[in-house]
Amino acid sequence: MLIVLSSCLYPLLQKYPHLVANARNIAKTFIGLSIAYYPLHFLVNRMTTWNRHRAFFHHKDFVEYILSTTNSGLFFCFASFLWTFLVVVFVRIWHVSKERQASILKIQTDYLKLNLALEQQRLHSLRQQLEPHFMFNALNGISALVRSNEQTIALDGIHRLSELLRYALN
């Protein structure tokens, strides 16, 4: 009967994750299962014991056998029900936490990729801004050399600038 409980409870908790969202919801779920499922679990447990030991017990009626159940029988039946419930709930909480960790890791990875793309765009934009400034400064420097009658240095500057532009294009 506990196998039935665990095989039904886990998919139920998977379908309705709010049932294990906090301690209050877990307590409500346990109370609901205690009211709905535990009496059935107890009866099936006692019925299997009654069928096994019917020859040893001289009870005329199953109801009389149920009513003669000791407190230790009730306790062990409830303890097995409780432990099954707790194990299933803790396994489900563990799976939920693993899913959350995976989604957080994916979000962080996506965030880092977006930051990297943004920084690459900023660097590209900065390069685009620097290239015209460099060209204007280099040409102004060469024109100043031409005006000051330093043609050899100006020609050398034009030659080096053309080499640098060829290198940049490649």
Side-chain angles (χ1 to χ4, degrees), residues 137-148:
N137 289 339
L139 290 174
N140 281 334
I142 291 173
S143 73
L145 289 173
V146 170
R147 282 191 213 120
S148 66

Side-chain angles (χ1 to χ4, degrees), residues 86-142:
L86 290 176
V87 166
V88 170
V89 166
F90 286 135
V91 166
R92 185 62 199 144
I93 289 172
W94 180 71
H95 282 181
V96 167
S97 71
K98 287 294 182 185
E99 291 168 2
R100 283 183 185 159
Q101 286 176 352
S103 68
I104 287 171
L105 184 63
K106 185 183 179 314
I107 289 170
Q108 287 175 342
T109 304
D110 292 344
Y111 177 75
L112 290 174
K113 285 179 182 178
L114 284 174
N115 273 345
L116 178 64
L118 178 65
E119 290 302 320
Q120 287 174 343
Q121 286 297 326
R122 285 182 183 164
L123 184 61
H124 179 71
S125 173
L126 187 60
R127 282 184 184 156
Q128 294 299 325
Q129 291 173 1
L130 285 177
E131 287 176 7
H133 285 69
F134 172 74
M135 289 297 297
F136 288 128
N137 289 339
L139 290 174
N140 281 334
I142 291 173

